Amino acid sequence: MQSTELKIFIADDYLLIREGIKGIICNLDNAKIVGESNDLVNLAAKITECSPDIIIMELTLCDRPIRELMEDIRKVAPKIKVLIVSDCICELPIISSIRAGISGYIKKNVTEEELIKAIHALSKDLEYFTPHITQLLAHGYLSNNASGINFSEREMEVLRYICKGRSNEQIAELLFISEKTVATHRKNIMKKATIKKSSDLIVWALENRIVQR
């Protein structure tokens, strides 16, 4: 996503939340609020009018499957990024949101710095999920592999830590290997699973019972 000025749309039913997010964004260079809403009714039409780069929204406002909402959004803005900022930390809604194509998910109690990190990540076409969210998605232990893919013992170790939300640096320290080696294992795991995004890898691991609750 390339833009001289990052345009952001906020959807949250609480005025104070919207004002708080606006206050943070106003302090960012090359970013501005182009629209806001207290619901998701006619969201596709609203973003068509103001053409935002990023939507920051509360998941609980969605009164239909998130997949349907994302399909409507993609029809009018194929490259738009959606960042969920929500109090909802239930596993199934989060997984559904990731499968629907959101780019980030953080809790409402994050720090100002973390919200800014998330916005910056999305502006660079990256994903952003707080460690708490990735751990919620994938807490548990490696189980019987139902995917039929033959991972090496080391790849399985790396995958387990990926699914616990650990960074490459943390995994390297835990396994006493170099960060570069971890990155190579991560790349090989995703290649074997034919997956391009880390968030999709976690969902895939859950669905294939590689990770279980």
Side-chain angles (χ1 to χ4, degrees):
M1 176 170 37
Q2 299 294 326
S3 175
T4 56
E5 188 168 47
L6 190 65
K7 296 179 290 184
I8 299 174
F9 185 99
I10 304 172
D12 194 288
D13 51 343
Y14 285 100
L15 175 61
L16 287 178
I17 295 295
R18 297 199 306 272
E19 291 298 316
I21 294 174
K22 286 161 63 176
I24 294 171
I25 291 172
C26 285
N27 293 323
L28 297 179
D29 294 332
N30 300 321
K32 70 174 183 178
I33 303 297
V34 294
E36 63 179 287
S37 175
N38 63 356
D39 58 42
L40 300 180
V41 178
N42 299 321
L43 180 61
K46 293 173 183 175
I47 63 175
T48 299
E49 294 177 359
C50 57
S51 301
D53 300 302
I54 294 175
I55 300 174
I56 297 176
M57 74 179 195
E58 166 60 73
L59 179 63
T60 58
L61 289 180
C62 194
D63 59 359
R64 56 180 172 141
I66 185 69
R67 173 183 52 80
E68 294 180 6
L69 175 64
M70 290 298 295
E71 287 175 353
D72 287 347
I73 291 172
R74 296 297 184 206
K75 287 177 183 177
V76 298
K79 296 183 179 181
I80 201 167
K81 306 297 181 182
V82 175
L83 172 65
I84 302 294
V85 180
S86 178
D87 283 329
C88 177
I89 56 171
C90 299
E91 184 174 305
L92 289 179
I94 294 174
I95 292 176
S96 296
S97 299
I98 293 173
R99 294 184 69 183
I102 66 164
S103 299
Y105 199 120
I106 60 179
K107 290 183 64 181
K108 279 187 176 176
N109 65 353
V110 297
T111 62
E112 177 178 332
E113 289 75 16
E114 186 147 32
L115 174 60
I116 291 172
K117 283 174 62 178
I119 292 172
H120 282 163
L122 269 62
S123 72
K124 297 176 182 178
D125 288 327
L126 302 174
E127 298 176 314
Y128 191 90
F129 299 91
T130 59
H132 175 84
I133 296 299
T134 54
Q135 289 171 18
L136 176 70
L137 279 172
H139 72 282
Y141 301 94
L142 289 177
S143 175
N144 293 328
N145 185 353
S147 69
I149 296 174
N150 183 26
F151 292 115
S152 69
E153 183 177 348
R154 181 63 88 185
E155 286 171 346
M156 292 290 278
E157 289 179 319
V158 171
L159 179 56
R160 176 165 64 90
Y161 284 120
I162 289 173
C163 290
K164 287 186 175 183
R166 302 297 177 87
S167 67
N168 284 1
E169 181 181 1
Q170 291 171 324
I171 296 172
E173 291 178 357
L174 289 163
L175 297 180
F176 302 101
I177 57 179
S178 71
E179 192 171 341
K180 182 177 180 180
T181 299
V182 174
T184 298
H185 285 311
R186 181 188 288 264
K187 181 179 178 180
N188 290 339
I189 290 167
M190 297 178 77
K191 182 177 180 180
K192 287 182 178 181
T194 64
I195 289 172
K196 296 181 179 180
K197 299 191 296 184
S198 293
S199 57
D200 288 342
L201 180 64
I202 294 173
V203 174
W204 173 84
L206 284 167
E207 291 180 337
N208 284 280
R209 301 195 306 277
I210 297 174
V211 173
Q212 64 179 5
R213 290 187 61 86

